[in-house]
Amino acid sequence: MGTGNWSQVIEFIILGFPHFQGVQIYLFFLLLSIYLTTILGNLLIFLVVYLDSRLHTPMYRFVSILSFLELGYTAATIPKMLANLLSEKKTISFSGCLLQIYFFHSLGATECYLLTAMAYDRYLAICRPLHYPTLMTQSLCIKIAIGCWLGGLAGPVVEISLVSRLPFCGPNHIQHIFCDFPPVLSLACTDTSVNVLVDFIINSCKILATFLLILSSYLQIIRTVLKIPSAAGKKKAFSTCASHLTVVLIFYGSILFMYVRLKKSYSLDYDRALAVVYSVITPFLNPFIYSLRNKEIKEALKRQLMRTGILR
C-alpha cells in the first residue's frame, strides 16, 4: 500500500447500536441517567473518604482512588456515546479515535492494577493482621497508587503507535459503540496480524497476570478464613472482601472474553454487550457494590451531611 492512500480516511463513523434506531432517544436518557448516577456516586465516595479522617486508611484510600478513576474511565467513552445517540452524523476524527482508545485502555489498565493492589491489601489485613500496620503504611499505599497510574498510562503506548501507522482507505464504519482496537484494526487496508498478536500479548500479560495475582490473594485469604474457629469471625473476614470480589468478577469476567483472544472475527452484538458491561455497568455499580453498602462509608457520609447542616 502506498503512502498516498494512508490519509484517505480522516474520520470514522461509529455505528453504535444499529438495532435500536427507533429508540435512540430512550437509550440516550437511560444512558444519561446511568452516567450522572455514576458521576455522583463515585464523586461522593471520593469526597467522603477525602474529608473524613477516620477513613484515611489504606483500604479506603484505594476505594477513593478507584472512585476517582471511574470518573475518568467513563468520561473517555460515555459522553461521545451520548452525543452519537442524538446525532445523525456519528463521526469521530482519526486522532480523536486514537485518543479515545488510549485513555479508555490506559485507565482500564490502571483499574486492573488498582484492583490487584486492593486484593493485596485485603490479603495483608486478613492473612498477616499483626504485621499489617507496619507493612501497608500510608507511604507504601501512595507509592502503589502512583505505580498503578504510571503503569496504566504507559500501557497502550505501543499498541497506539502501531495502529497510528496503519493505512486506512475505507470503509470507515466502526462496528462498535466506541473506538477500540479490534473494530478499528478490522478497517485497516493491510495485514494487521502483527497488531493483533501484540495486542493479544500485552492484554494477556496485563489482564491475565493481574487476575491471577488477585486469584492467588483470595486463595490465601480463603485458607486463612477457614482456619478461624468462630462463624462470626469468618463472616466478618469475608464481609471485608465480598464487595471487592464482586467488582473483580464483573469487570474481569467481561474484559477477559473481550481482549484475551487472537481471532479477529467476532460477534458484533456479543462484543457490544460486553462493552456495555465493562464500560458502563461496572463503573455504575461500583459505588453501590463497593462503598455505599459499607457501614463505615455510610456513617462517614452521615457525619459530613450533619456537619454541612443538610442532615440534622
Side-chain angles (χ1 to χ4, degrees):
M1 181 68 63
T3 56
N5 290 330
W6 284 40
S7 60
Q8 287 188 14
V9 172
I10 60 173
E11 65 180 16
F12 294 109
I13 298 174
I14 303 176
L15 295 183
F17 304 94
H19 300 310
F20 299 95
Q21 292 298 325
V23 292
Q24 297 279 310
I25 188 65
Y26 301 109
L27 284 178
F28 170 82
F29 283 111
L30 175 62
L31 184 58
L32 179 62
S33 62
I34 291 174
Y35 185 44
L36 292 177
T37 304
T38 301
I39 293 175
L40 291 174
N42 284 291
L43 186 60
L44 185 63
I45 298 305
F46 176 78
L47 290 176
V48 166
V49 174
Y50 176 78
L51 294 173
D52 198 302
S53 59
R54 301 184 192 183
L55 299 181
H56 290 178
T57 62
M59 184 180 81
Y60 288 110
R61 287 197 184 276
F62 284 133
V63 170
S64 69
I65 294 169
L66 178 64
S67 295
F68 180 77
L69 172 65
E70 297 291 24
L71 297 176
Y73 182 68
T74 52
T77 56
I78 296 182
K80 184 61 178 176
M81 290 165 60
L82 287 169
N84 287 343
L85 286 171
L86 293 182
S87 174
E88 293 185 5
K89 188 180 180 183
K90 308 176 190 297
T91 59
I92 185 170
S93 67
F94 180 73
S95 58
C97 186
L98 291 184
L99 280 174
Q100 185 178 67
I101 295 174
Y102 170 75
F103 282 111
F104 182 70
H105 277 264
S106 62
L107 295 175
T110 304
E111 182 158 350
C112 288
Y113 302 143
L114 188 59
L115 288 173
T116 307
M118 295 167 81
Y120 178 65
D121 173 72
R122 291 299 82 209
Y123 159 75
L124 290 179
I126 295 173
C127 299
R128 304 183 67 180
L130 297 179
H131 299 94
Y132 177 73
T134 56
L135 291 173
M136 185 57 72
T137 61
Q138 295 289 349
S139 174
L140 179 61
C141 179
I142 293 172
K143 290 177 181 177
I144 291 175
I146 293 173
C148 291
W149 279 95
L150 293 179
L153 293 175
V157 171
V158 173
E159 296 160 283
I160 290 291
S161 177
L162 290 174
V163 172
S164 67
R165 300 175 186 177
L166 292 174
F168 294 90
C169 50
N172 65 337
H173 292 72
I174 294 177
Q175 300 280 350
H176 204 45
I177 58 177
F178 50 79
C179 286
D180 204 357
F181 285 121
V184 170
L185 288 177
S186 68
L187 300 178
C189 302
T190 187
D191 178 48
T192 59
S193 56
V194 173
N195 299 75
V196 173
L197 180 60
V198 170
D199 193 37
F200 173 76
I201 292 173
I202 291 177
N203 286 330
S204 296
C205 294
K206 175 176 59 183
I207 298 173
L208 282 178
T210 54
F211 182 71
L212 290 175
L213 286 172
I214 292 172
L215 185 62
S216 65
S217 295
Y218 273 105
L219 288 175
Q220 293 296 323
I221 289 171
I222 292 171
R223 288 179 57 186
T224 301
V225 171
L226 291 177
K227 295 177 182 179
I228 298 175
S230 67
K234 288 186 174 72
K235 183 178 179 181
K236 182 179 179 181
F238 274 127
S239 67
T240 64
C241 304
S243 297
H244 174 260
L245 187 57
T246 303
V247 172
V248 166
L249 292 176
I250 295 174
F251 183 68
Y252 276 91
S254 55
I255 63 173
L256 278 169
F257 286 107
M258 181 67 184
Y259 294 111
V260 185
R261 63 185 182 193
L262 268 171
K263 64 177 183 177
K264 287 176 60 180
S265 59
Y266 48 87
S267 168
L268 300 177
D269 292 334
Y270 177 77
D271 283 355
R272 287 190 182 100
L274 285 178
V276 169
V277 173
Y278 61 74
S279 67
V280 178
I281 302 301
T282 302
F284 167 71
L285 293 177
N286 275 359
F288 302 100
I289 294 175
Y290 205 94
S291 303
L292 294 180
R293 293 179 61 193
N294 182 286
K295 182 180 178 181
E296 291 180 293
I297 288 283
K298 288 192 289 187
E299 289 179 352
L301 177 59
K302 184 178 179 180
R303 286 194 295 269
Q304 295 302 320
L305 292 176
M306 293 179 65
R307 185 177 300 175
T308 56
I310 298 176
L311 185 65
R312 297 184 182 278

